[in-house]
Amino acid sequence: MASEISVIICAYTEKRWEDLVAAVESVRSQALPAKEIIVVIDHNQQLLEQVQQKLPDVVAIENTEVRGLSGARNSGIAIARGMILAFLDDDALAADWLKPLAETFAEPEVLGVGGPIIPLWLVQKPAWLPEEFYWVVGCTYRGMPETVSKVRNIIGANMAFRREVFEVVGGFRSEIGRVGTLPLGCEETELCIRAQQHWPARYCLYQPAASVSHKVPGTRTNWHYFFSRCYSEGISKAFVARFVGTKDGLASERTYTLRILPLGVMRGLGDGLFHLDLNGFARAWAIIAGLASTTIGYLVGTLSQRAAKSEFGEKDRAHETVYS
C-alpha cells in the first residue's frame, strides 16, 4: 500500500520556502515511503525553477488550471501515479502519517481519510482563541472524534482520497477554494459530500493516529484575521450548500452550532467565574462573535448568489427578447 500513495504539496510563494523544504523532508522521513512526492507551484515561475533546482528528487510541476489551491491540487491529481492521493500543506509537517493512512484505506468502503492537524504556534498561542475555533487557523478543533470515526468531511491540510474519487466525481471546485492568502475554503468539504452523495454506502474516516503539525504564524493570531476567516467561511459554506444542497452542506454545522459551541461558551464562562481566568470570558465572547460573523458571511454569500442568478436570468430573458 505504501508504494501506492502519491503525496501532493501545493505552494505559491517563496516566502514559505523553508516551510516547503521542511514539509517535503517530513514526507521523505516517513516509515512508510510515498510512491512519489509531487510539488505543485501555483503560477510562480521563479519558485518552480527553485524547486526544480534544489529539490530534484520531487516531481515539480506548475498549476495548469486557474490560480488557486483547488487548481493546484487538481494539477497534481492529473499527473499522480498512486492509487491513493494524499495532500499536505506546504507549511505542515507530517509525523507518523502515511502508515496509519494506508492501514485505514484497507477497508474498501473508505473514500477518504483525514487526521489531526496540531497547531504549531510560531508566536505565543492567543489565550482568547477557543479550541472550538481552531479551524480558523487550519487546525483540528474541539469536537472532533478521539477514535477512528466516520465524518462528513476531512480537512485539507491532512487528507487523502482514493484515485477513483477524482476519476468518477471530478476534482476540487475552483469556485470555492483559497487563492493566495484570501481566507476562503471548504473545497475539500464539498468534494467529500459530493463523493458520498455518489456512493451513499461509502464514507470518509477520521484517523487520530495520522497526525500532522501545522505552522500558525502571528498574522493568524489576531482578532482581524479571526473575524475575516469566520466571515469568509460563511461565504464558502453558502457555495457548498449551492453545489451539494443545504441538507448535506450544513449537516455537521448544525451539530457544531447546537452542541459544541454552547458547551464552549459555558466552558469559557466557567473558567472566568470559577478559575478567575479573564481570558475565559474572551473565549466565550469569541465563540459568540465568531458564530455571528460566520452566519453573516453565509447570509451574504447566499444573497449574492441569488442576486447573481436573478441578474443572469434577466440577461437571458433580454437576449431572448432581442432575438425573438
Coordinates of all heavy atoms in Angstrom, one line a residue, residues 93-105 107 112-118 140-141 143-151 154 158 204-213:
L93 N 3.9 19.7 8.8 CA 4.9 18.7 9.0 C 4.3 17.4 9.3 O 3.5 17.3 10.3 CB 5.9 19.1 10.1 CG 6.7 20.4 9.9 CD1 7.4 20.8 11.2 CD2 7.7 20.3 8.8
A94 N 4.5 16.4 8.5 CA 3.9 15.1 8.8 C 4.7 14.3 9.9 O 5.9 14.2 9.8 CB 3.9 14.3 7.5
A95 N 3.9 13.8 10.8 CA 4.5 12.9 11.9 C 4.5 11.5 11.3 O 4.9 11.2 10.2 CB 3.8 13.1 13.2
D96 N 4.0 10.5 12.1 CA 3.8 9.2 11.6 C 2.5 9.2 10.8 O 1.4 9.0 11.4 CB 3.7 8.2 12.8 CG 3.5 6.8 12.3 OD1 3.8 6.5 11.1 OD2 3.2 5.9 13.1
W97 N 2.5 9.5 9.6 CA 1.4 9.9 8.8 C 0.9 8.8 7.8 O -0.2 8.4 7.8 CB 1.7 11.2 8.1 CG 0.6 11.8 7.3 CD1 -0.7 12.1 7.7 CD2 0.7 12.4 6.0 NE1 -1.4 12.7 6.7 CE2 -0.5 12.9 5.7 CE3 1.8 12.5 5.1 CZ2 -0.8 13.5 4.4 CZ3 1.5 13.1 3.8 CH2 0.2 13.6 3.5
L98 N 1.8 8.5 6.9 CA 1.4 7.6 5.7 C 1.0 6.2 6.2 O 0.1 5.6 5.6 CB 2.5 7.5 4.7 CG 2.8 8.8 3.9 CD1 3.9 8.6 2.9 CD2 1.5 9.4 3.3
K99 N 1.7 5.6 7.2 CA 1.4 4.3 7.6 C -0.1 4.2 8.1 O -0.8 3.3 7.7 CB 2.4 3.8 8.6 CG 2.2 2.3 9.0 CD 3.4 1.9 9.9 CE 3.3 0.4 10.3 NZ 2.2 0.1 11.1
P100 N -0.5 5.0 9.1 CA -1.9 4.9 9.5 C -2.9 5.2 8.5 O -4.0 4.7 8.4 CB -2.0 5.8 10.7 CG -0.8 6.7 10.6 CD 0.3 5.9 9.9
L101 N -2.5 6.1 7.5 CA -3.4 6.4 6.4 C -3.6 5.2 5.6 O -4.8 4.8 5.3 CB -2.9 7.5 5.5 CG -3.0 9.0 6.0 CD1 -2.4 9.9 5.0 CD2 -4.4 9.4 6.3
A102 N -2.5 4.5 5.2 CA -2.6 3.3 4.4 C -3.4 2.2 5.1 O -4.2 1.5 4.4 CB -1.2 2.8 4.1
E103 N -3.2 2.0 6.4 CA -3.9 1.0 7.1 C -5.4 1.3 7.1 O -6.2 0.3 7.0 CB -3.4 0.9 8.5 CG -2.0 0.3 8.6 CD -1.3 0.4 10.0 OE1 -2.0 1.1 10.8 OE2 -0.3 -0.1 10.2
T104 N -5.8 2.5 7.2 CA -7.2 2.9 7.3 C -7.9 2.6 5.9 O -9.1 2.3 5.8 CB -7.4 4.4 7.7 OG1 -6.6 4.6 8.8 CG2 -8.9 4.7 8.0
F105 N -7.2 2.8 4.8 CA -7.7 2.5 3.5 C -7.9 1.0 3.2 O -8.3 0.7 2.1 CB -6.8 3.2 2.4 CG -7.1 4.6 2.2 CD1 -6.3 5.6 2.6 CD2 -8.3 5.0 1.5 CE1 -6.6 6.9 2.3 CE2 -8.6 6.3 1.2 CZ -7.7 7.3 1.6
E107 N -10.0 -0.8 4.4 CA -11.5 -1.0 4.2 C -11.9 -0.5 2.8 O -11.7 0.7 2.5 CB -12.2 -0.3 5.3 CG -11.9 -0.7 6.7 CD -12.7 0.1 7.7 OE1 -13.9 0.5 7.4 OE2 -12.3 0.3 8.9
G112 N -12.1 8.4 1.7 CA -11.1 9.3 2.1 C -10.8 9.2 3.6 O -11.6 8.7 4.3
V113 N -9.6 9.6 3.9 CA -9.1 9.6 5.3 C -8.4 10.9 5.7 O -7.6 11.4 4.9 CB -8.1 8.4 5.6 CG1 -7.7 8.4 7.0 CG2 -8.8 7.1 5.2
G114 N -8.7 11.4 6.8 CA -8.1 12.6 7.4 C -7.6 12.3 8.8 O -8.1 11.3 9.4
G115 N -6.8 13.2 9.3 CA -6.3 13.0 10.7 C -6.1 14.4 11.4 O -6.4 15.4 10.8
P116 N -5.7 14.3 12.6 CA -5.5 15.5 13.4 C -4.5 16.5 12.8 O -3.5 16.1 12.2 CB -5.0 15.0 14.8 CG -5.3 13.6 14.8 CD -5.3 13.1 13.4
I117 N -4.8 17.8 12.9 CA -3.9 18.8 12.5 C -3.6 19.7 13.7 O -4.4 20.4 14.2 CB -4.5 19.7 11.4 CG1 -5.0 18.8 10.2 CG2 -3.5 20.8 10.9 CD1 -5.9 19.5 9.3
I118 N -2.4 19.5 14.2 CA -2.0 20.0 15.5 C -1.3 21.4 15.3 O -0.4 21.5 14.5 CB -1.0 19.1 16.3 CG1 -1.5 17.7 16.3 CG2 -0.7 19.7 17.7 CD1 -2.8 17.5 16.9
T140 N -7.2 21.2 13.7 CA -8.3 20.4 14.3 C -8.9 21.1 15.5 O -8.2 21.6 16.4 CB -7.9 19.0 14.7 OG1 -7.3 18.3 13.6 CG2 -9.0 18.2 15.3
Y141 N -10.2 21.2 15.5 CA -10.9 21.9 16.6 C -11.6 21.0 17.6 O -11.8 19.8 17.3 CB -12.0 22.9 16.0 CG -13.0 22.2 15.0 CD1 -14.2 21.6 15.5 CD2 -12.7 22.0 13.7 CE1 -15.0 20.9 14.7 CE2 -13.6 21.4 12.8 CZ -14.7 20.8 13.4 OH -15.6 20.2 12.5
G143 N -14.2 19.0 19.4 CA -15.4 18.4 18.9 C -15.2 17.3 17.9 O -16.1 16.6 17.6
M144 N -14.0 17.2 17.4 CA -13.6 16.1 16.5 C -13.5 14.8 17.3 O -13.2 14.9 18.5 CB -12.3 16.4 15.8 CG -12.5 17.6 14.8 SD -13.6 17.2 13.4 CE -12.6 16.0 12.5
P145 N -13.8 13.7 16.7 CA -13.7 12.4 17.4 C -12.3 12.1 17.9 O -11.3 12.5 17.3 CB -14.2 11.4 16.4 CG -14.0 12.0 15.1 CD -14.2 13.5 15.3
E146 N -12.2 11.3 19.0 CA -11.0 10.9 19.5 C -10.6 9.4 19.1 O -9.5 8.9 19.4 CB -11.0 11.0 21.0 CG -11.2 12.4 21.5 CD -11.2 12.5 23.0 OE1 -11.1 11.5 23.7 OE2 -11.3 13.7 23.5
T147 N -11.5 8.8 18.4 CA -11.2 7.4 17.9 C -11.5 7.4 16.4 O -12.1 8.4 15.9 CB -12.1 6.4 18.6 OG1 -13.5 6.7 18.4 CG2 -11.8 6.3 20.1
V148 N -11.1 6.3 15.7 CA -11.4 6.2 14.3 C -13.0 6.3 14.1 O -13.7 5.5 14.7 CB -10.9 4.9 13.7 CG1 -11.3 4.8 12.2 CG2 -9.4 4.8 13.8
S149 N -13.4 7.3 13.3 CA -14.8 7.5 13.2 C -15.2 8.0 11.8 O -14.4 8.6 11.1 CB -15.3 8.6 14.2 OG -14.9 8.2 15.5
K150 N -16.4 7.8 11.4 CA -16.9 8.3 10.2 C -17.2 9.8 10.3 O -17.7 10.2 11.4 CB -18.3 7.6 9.8 CG -18.1 6.1 9.4 CD -19.5 5.6 9.0 CE -19.3 4.1 8.7 NZ -20.7 3.5 8.3
V151 N -16.8 10.6 9.3 CA -17.0 12.0 9.3 C -17.6 12.4 8.0 O -17.4 11.8 7.0 CB -15.7 12.8 9.6 CG1 -15.3 12.6 11.1 CG2 -14.6 12.4 8.7
I154 N -13.2 15.7 5.7 CA -11.9 15.8 6.3 C -11.3 17.2 5.9 O -11.8 17.9 5.0 CB -11.0 14.7 5.8 CG1 -11.0 14.5 4.3 CG2 -11.4 13.4 6.5 CD1 -10.3 13.3 3.8
N158 N -4.5 17.9 5.9 CA -4.2 16.5 6.2 C -5.3 15.6 5.7 O -6.3 15.3 6.4 CB -4.0 16.3 7.7 CG -3.7 14.8 8.1 OD1 -3.6 14.0 7.3 ND2 -3.7 14.6 9.4
C204 N -16.1 8.7 4.5 CA -14.8 9.2 4.9 C -14.5 8.9 6.4 O -15.5 8.9 7.2 CB -14.7 10.7 4.7 SG -14.7 11.2 2.9
L205 N -13.3 8.7 6.7 CA -12.9 8.4 8.1 C -11.9 9.4 8.7 O -11.1 9.9 8.0 CB -12.3 7.0 8.2 CG -13.2 5.8 8.1 CD1 -12.4 4.5 8.2 CD2 -14.3 5.8 9.2
Y206 N -12.1 9.6 10.0 CA -11.1 10.4 10.7 C -10.2 9.4 11.5 O -10.7 8.6 12.3 CB -11.8 11.3 11.7 CG -10.9 12.2 12.5 CD1 -10.3 13.3 12.0 CD2 -10.7 11.9 13.9 CE1 -9.5 14.2 12.7 CE2 -9.9 12.7 14.6 CZ -9.3 13.9 14.1 OH -8.5 14.7 14.8
Q207 N -8.9 9.5 11.2 CA -8.0 8.6 11.8 C -7.0 9.4 12.8 O -6.1 10.1 12.3 CB -7.1 7.9 10.8 CG -5.9 7.1 11.2 CD -6.2 6.0 12.3 OE1 -6.3 6.4 13.4 NE2 -6.5 4.8 11.8
P208 N -7.3 9.3 14.1 CA -6.5 10.1 15.0 C -5.0 9.8 15.0 O -4.2 10.6 15.4 CB -7.1 9.8 16.4 CG -8.5 9.3 16.1 CD -8.4 8.6 14.8
A209 N -4.6 8.6 14.5 CA -3.2 8.2 14.5 C -2.4 8.9 13.4 O -1.2 9.0 13.5 CB -3.0 6.7 14.4
A210 N -3.1 9.4 12.4 CA -2.4 10.0 11.2 C -2.4 11.5 11.4 O -3.2 12.3 10.8 CB -3.2 9.6 9.9
S211 N -1.4 12.0 12.2 CA -1.4 13.4 12.5 C -0.3 14.2 11.8 O 0.7 13.6 11.4 CB -1.2 13.6 14.0 OG 0.1 13.1 14.4
V212 N -0.6 15.5 11.7 CA 0.5 16.4 11.1 C 0.4 17.7 12.0 O -0.5 17.9 12.7 CB 0.2 16.8 9.7 CG1 0.0 15.6 8.8 CG2 -1.1 17.7 9.6
S213 N 1.5 18.4 12.0 CA 1.6 19.7 12.7 C 1.5 20.8 11.6 O 2.0 20.7 10.5 CB 2.9 19.8 13.4 OG 3.0 18.8 14.4

